[in-house]
């Protein structure tokens, strides 16, 4: 059935506007309240398309805060309603979000399948920005699998789409991902330029989520170059922003960086405690790839403490997770750790 709404519900639009503003500035509790109010208003109205979008937006907030199960339920509700009214853009966006859940849980084949379904719906709707979002996500999947060439190409397609539509928020995420990829290749100047582009776009909008992610990634780049003081500053900034947002997942990612800094300084027991907290947060968020990465860090700490047996056992657990999710490059690196003397 193809049901067009008679017009956006004014009260719902106001609630959604306030929710998005609160979310951008890190007022997560206020954002939750406003999203709930919008959904409640829309549940009894004829504005079905805005309901689809509100359910998805509320799911995004929960996903960013590490509440994966709640987010998945909201995305599934959004998809079901969108399909009933033949709302192609809503269908594509919901599929894109469901794919992100599969990706977080490490089901890369399922994530790619869902992203490609989302791409078909986006192309049917002729939505350039949405096509760009999906290309970005396909780039992330390619990066996790170790296919950097495919990742760069997907990011370039994505960035072109966002620049064509003037979407600075989405472009900031792509620049962040490009910076990470350059960093993995040791291309530090290119990485810093990309992070700078991302941070400038985020700061101009007061976007605490993007800023927290960029700071953590910049900290990783500093650490790789041995600049511990700069890495520490970036890490603490990322942790502060995650705390401001009540974002458990971003906190776990920043704690991973803090543990690596502590390890480099020789404070191995502090690093173990830091990783223990991060592992709990990653488990709550159902982020299997991050959980495996944290196990790799934990294994390295046990190796440095002289317990090769515990280190090997932890690495084997990480290897099983990487293999299960299809993260081939990470699996190969972990196998090399296990085989090393």
């Amino acid at each position: 059935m193809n049901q067009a709404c008679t017009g956006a519900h004014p009260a719902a639009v106001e609630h959604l506007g306030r929710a998005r503003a609160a979310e951008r500035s890190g007022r997560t509790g206020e954002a939750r309240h406003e999203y709930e109010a919008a959904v409640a208003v829309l549940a009894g109205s004829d504005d079905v398309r805005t309901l689809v979008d509100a359910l998805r937006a509320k799911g995004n907030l929960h996903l960013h805060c590490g509440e994966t199960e709640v987010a998945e339920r909201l995305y599934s509700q959004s998809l079901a309603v969108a399909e009933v009214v033949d709302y192609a853009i809503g269908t594509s966006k919901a599929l894109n979000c469901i794919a992100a859940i599969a990706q977080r849980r490490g089901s890369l084949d399922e994530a790619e399948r869902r992203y490609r379904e989302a791409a078909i719906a986006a192309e049917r709707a002729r939505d350039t920005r949405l096509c760009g979002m999906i290309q970005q996500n396909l780039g992330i999947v390619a990066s996790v699998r170790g296919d950097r060439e495919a990742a760069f190409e997907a990011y370039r397609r994505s960035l072109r789409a966002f620049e064509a539509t003037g979407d600075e928020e989405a472009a900031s995420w792509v620049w962040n991902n490009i910076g990470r990829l350059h960093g993995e290749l040791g291309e530090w100047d290119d990485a810093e330029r990309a992070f700078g582009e991302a941070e400038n776009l985020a700061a101009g909008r007061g976007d605490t989520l993007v800023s927290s992610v960029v700071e953590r990634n910049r900290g990783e780049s500093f650490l790789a170059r041995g600049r511990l003081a700069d890495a520490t500053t970036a890490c603490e900034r990322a942790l502060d922003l995650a705390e401001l947002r009540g974002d458990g997942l971003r906190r776990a990612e920043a704690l991973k960086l803090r543990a690596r800094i502590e390890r480099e300084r020789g404070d191995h027991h502090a690093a173990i405690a830091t990783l223990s907290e991060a592992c709990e947060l990653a488990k709550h968020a159902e982020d299997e790839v991050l959980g495996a990465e944290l196990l790799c860090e934990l294994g390295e700490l046990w190796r440095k403490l002289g317990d090769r047996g515990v280190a090997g056992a932890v690495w084997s657990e990480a290897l099983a997770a990487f293999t299960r999710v299809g993260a081939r490059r990470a699996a190969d690196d972990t196998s090399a750790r296990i085989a090393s003397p």
Side-chain angles (χ1 to χ4, degrees):
M1 143 176 141
N2 191 341
Q3 176 181 326
C5 63
T6 57
H9 193 294
V13 170
E14 289 183 11
H15 284 304
L16 290 172
R18 289 195 291 266
R20 288 166 183 140
E23 185 175 2
R24 279 196 302 272
S25 61
R27 304 191 313 275
T28 307
E30 182 181 338
R32 287 175 193 247
H33 173 75
E34 293 292 349
Y35 280 131
E36 287 166 3
V39 170
V41 167
L42 290 163
S45 79
D46 294 329
D47 188 0
V48 182
R49 293 191 174 191
T50 304
L51 175 61
V52 169
D53 296 338
L55 288 166
R56 187 187 64 257
K58 187 171 186 294
N60 287 341
L61 177 64
H62 286 284
L63 185 71
H64 290 318
C65 289
E67 298 163 356
T68 309
E69 186 175 342
V70 177
E72 182 178 33
R73 183 168 64 250
L74 289 162
Y75 293 153
S76 295
Q77 291 172 3
S78 179
L79 176 62
V81 177
E83 289 181 331
V84 166
V85 298
D86 194 23
Y87 179 21
I89 292 176
T91 297
S92 178
K93 289 181 177 179
L95 284 167
N96 185 53
C97 291
I98 289 169
I101 295 283
Q103 182 177 330
R104 173 173 288 185
R105 288 172 172 160
S107 303
L108 295 187
D109 289 344
E110 173 68 10
E112 182 177 4
R113 182 177 72 81
R114 288 295 199 172
Y115 283 138
R116 296 200 182 282
E117 289 177 358
I120 292 170
E123 289 168 3
R124 181 164 66 91
R126 299 181 181 178
D127 190 316
T128 300
R129 178 185 179 276
L130 185 52
C131 289
M133 290 175 62
I134 297 164
Q135 285 302 317
Q136 178 181 205
N137 290 332
L138 285 168
I140 294 170
V141 170
S143 181
V144 171
R145 285 176 166 156
D147 191 344
R148 292 184 172 112
E149 183 177 346
F152 270 127
E153 179 54 35
Y155 289 150
R156 284 191 288 267
R157 288 196 297 267
S158 179
L159 193 58
R160 285 195 296 270
F162 294 143
E163 289 175 343
T165 56
D167 190 332
E168 292 187 349
E169 178 181 3
S172 66
W173 282 108
V174 183
W175 279 117
N176 171 73
N177 291 332
I178 290 172
R180 285 192 66 184
L181 205 48
H182 280 302
E184 291 173 5
L185 295 169
E187 298 166 353
W188 307 121
D189 290 343
D190 288 335
E192 190 57 32
R193 277 193 291 271
F195 289 142
E197 292 280 357
E199 176 55 30
N200 287 339
L201 291 170
R205 301 188 321 279
D207 192 326
T208 56
L209 174 58
V210 174
S211 291
S212 70
V213 173
V214 171
E215 284 296 329
R216 189 254 305 163
N217 287 331
R218 181 175 276 138
E220 294 277 1
S221 176
F222 287 138
L223 181 60
R225 286 176 276 176
R227 294 168 55 177
L228 292 186
D230 290 332
T232 300
T233 299
C235 179
E236 294 309 310
R237 172 68 175 153
L239 283 166
D240 287 345
L241 289 166
E243 186 69 24
L244 174 67
R245 291 180 48 76
D247 189 337
L249 181 62
R250 308 304 171 189
R251 179 170 176 79
E253 292 172 341
L255 286 172
K256 175 188 168 188
L257 173 58
R258 176 189 275 179
R260 291 182 60 204
I261 294 170
E262 291 167 339
R263 187 186 77 197
E264 288 299 313
R265 289 180 169 154
D267 197 349
H268 298 148
H269 291 290
I272 287 173
T274 297
L275 285 173
S276 296
E277 180 184 351
C279 284
E280 286 301 312
L281 291 168
K283 182 179 180 181
H284 177 71
E286 300 183 56
D287 193 321
E288 190 162 7
V289 172
L290 177 59
E293 291 172 349
L294 292 167
L295 288 174
C296 284
E297 296 294 332
L298 190 58
E300 183 61 24
L301 284 165
W302 283 111
R303 185 191 70 79
K304 285 186 174 292
L305 288 169
D307 197 328
R308 191 65 176 73
V310 173
V314 172
W315 284 333
S316 294
E317 187 178 348
L319 175 60
F322 284 135
T323 301
R324 186 164 56 248
V325 305
R328 291 186 289 270
R329 179 161 53 87
D332 290 344
D333 290 346
T334 307
S335 294
R337 288 176 188 257
I338 295 171
S340 65

